[in-house]
């Protein structure tokens, strides 16, 4: 029997993808976490959710953490008869903060921790590729799994990523609206082709952003400019577009977080965020560790 019977707990960070010009490639892990405890049982699937998504997320095998666990168990050739999960969710859902990636990464990391030698047989390289298969894009699952600032890409149909160390003077601030957004709708707003000049603009800004985030935060304002997705999506999220424009007019390096509707701003050089009616303002740090096993459910 290769399944372990003691419960395991994982903590997974919220993530912000794109970061302006790095569409579907760049991502940052943030110090805001979901925690999930899982244990193998003899029968059935039961999921208890408290916090974000409570009373809305399913309590059965259709829960995304369970679906990701099943995919990871399949890879490992194990088929537990039953599962019991407890989720303490703090990542707002459907706001462009990587809550679905967090659920997927939590499921994969929990499943491999419940199998003897699971972490060796499904290492981080394989876990990232599996998480991307489930999610459909790698820019949230990569920082969620690895922490820090990540660049993700696809190679021969598989996702890969590198983790970079963000500079110390990078202080992410999230603006989270009450309204929700759907990634599929935000993706449907994008054109099939873009002008070559815009692609060239983003290539330059993405390269600059890697330098700015790792060693020159003073360049973040120029480095976070985008022409590939934010403008096309603005009509579908007018509140986001107007907050973004306001922050940038004030000289703040602000971007749409992932597919929106949250806004991510970088506080450097003593900028202090003000309250914005209708938005939660969350000053955070960069999470450096990514998905982490251990401890008790908080
Ligand atoms: N890169 C993705 C998008 C992120 O912008 O559609 C979704 O969270």
């Amino acid at each position: 029997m290769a399944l372990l019977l003691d419960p395991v707990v994982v903590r997974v960070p919220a993530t912000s993808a794109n970061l302006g010009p790095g569409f579907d490639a760049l991502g940052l892990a943030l110090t805001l976490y979901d925690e999930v405890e899982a244990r193998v049982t003899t029968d059935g699937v039961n999921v208890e959710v408290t916090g974000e998504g409570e009373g809305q997320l399913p309590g059965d095998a259709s829960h995304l953490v369970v679906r990701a666990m099943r995919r990871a168990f399949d890879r490992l050739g194990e088929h537990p008869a039953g599962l019991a999960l407890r989720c303490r969710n703090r990542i707002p859902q459907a706001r462009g903060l990587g809550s679905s990636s967090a659920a997927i990464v939590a499921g994969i990391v929990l499943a491999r921790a419940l199998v003897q030698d699971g972490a060796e047989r499904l290492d981080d390289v394989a876990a990232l590729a599996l998480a991307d298969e489930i999610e459909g894009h790698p820019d949230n699952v990569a920082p969620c799994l690895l922490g820090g600032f990540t660049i993700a890409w696809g190679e021969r149909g598989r996702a890969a990523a590198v983790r970079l160390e963000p500079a110390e003077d990078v202080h992410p601030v999230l603006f989270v609206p009450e309204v929700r957004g759907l990634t599929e709708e935000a993706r449907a707003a994008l054109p099939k082709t873009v002008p070559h000049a815009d692609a060239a603009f983003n290539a330059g800004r993405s390269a600059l952003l890697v330098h700015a985030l790792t060693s020159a935060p003073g360049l973040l304002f120029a480095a976070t400019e985008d022409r590939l997705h934010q403008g096309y999506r603005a009509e579908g999220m007018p509140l986001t577009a107007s907050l973004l424009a306001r922050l940038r007019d004030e000289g703040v390096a602000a971007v749409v977080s992932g597919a929106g509707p949250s806004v991510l701003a970088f506080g450097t050089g003593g900028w202090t965020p003000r309250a914005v009616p209708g938005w939660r303002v969350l000053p955070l740090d960069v999470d450096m560790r990514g998905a982490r096993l251990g401890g008790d459910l908080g």
Side-chain angles (χ1 to χ4, degrees):
M1 169 85 164
L3 285 169
L4 305 175
L5 298 180
D6 284 340
V8 288
V9 174
V10 70
R11 189 181 83 162
V12 281
T15 50
S16 187
N18 301 331
L19 308 178
F23 184 74
D24 275 1
L26 303 184
L28 197 65
L30 303 167
T31 52
L32 177 68
Y33 304 95
D34 283 352
E35 290 172 288
V36 187
E37 179 195 81
R39 107 189 124 77
V40 171
T41 61
T42 51
D43 190 24
V45 172
N46 184 54
V47 185
E48 259 180 55
V49 177
T50 54
E52 299 286 338
E54 184 174 342
Q56 294 158 6
L57 293 171
D60 59 15
S62 65
H63 192 287
L64 186 53
V65 175
V66 179
R67 287 191 277 134
M69 288 183 84
R70 291 287 185 204
R71 292 281 294 268
F73 280 131
D74 283 348
R75 290 283 158 98
L76 293 164
E78 295 294 335
H79 303 284
L83 290 167
L85 267 63
R86 292 196 296 147
C87 306
R88 297 275 177 278
N89 290 348
R90 296 187 195 86
I91 306 175
Q93 313 218 320
R95 306 299 210 298
L97 302 175
S99 62
S100 63
S101 287
I104 291 165
V105 169
I108 293 171
V109 171
L110 286 168
R112 73 181 185 185
L114 286 167
V115 175
Q116 249 165 28
D117 305 331
E120 288 80 54
R121 289 199 279 137
L122 191 67
D123 63 12
D124 278 353
V125 172
L128 176 73
L130 176 58
D132 169 61
E133 269 177 42
I134 302 171
E135 179 69 303
H137 52 88
D139 47 343
N140 288 104
V141 291
C144 186
L145 182 67
L146 305 175
F149 167 43
T150 53
I151 308 175
W153 70 96
E155 204 169 325
R156 289 184 224 104
R158 270 170 75 91
V162 287
R163 179 195 182 286
L164 302 176
E165 205 68 27
E168 275 182 18
D169 190 25
V170 169
H171 302 290
V173 178
L174 276 182
F175 294 82
V176 185
E178 275 150 28
V179 290
R180 294 167 169 245
L182 286 177
T183 298
E184 306 82 70
E185 279 176 16
R187 290 181 90 81
L190 301 177
K192 295 235 176 321
T193 59
V194 295
H196 192 277
D198 289 351
F201 180 95
N202 268 52
R205 291 305 201 275
S206 290
L208 182 62
L209 183 52
V210 172
H211 174 60
L213 263 181
T214 51
S215 46
L219 291 170
L220 276 169
F221 187 78
T224 47
E225 285 186 296
D226 159 68
R227 288 193 190 163
L228 291 189
H229 65 103
Q230 294 181 166
Y232 296 110
R233 290 169 162 176
E235 203 184 331
M237 44 181 115
L239 294 176
T240 299
S242 108
L243 177 61
L244 187 63
R246 217 177 82 199
L247 288 167
R248 290 201 70 92
D249 282 349
E250 289 169 15
V252 176
V255 296
V256 177
S257 182
S262 295
V263 169
L264 173 74
F266 291 105
T268 54
W271 171 68
T272 313
R274 278 176 298 174
V276 183
W279 295 71
R280 269 189 274 174
V281 183
L282 306 176
L284 301 169
D285 279 312
V286 179
D287 165 86
M288 297 295 189
R289 304 184 59 169
R292 189 153 70 89
L293 283 168
D296 294 320
L297 216 54

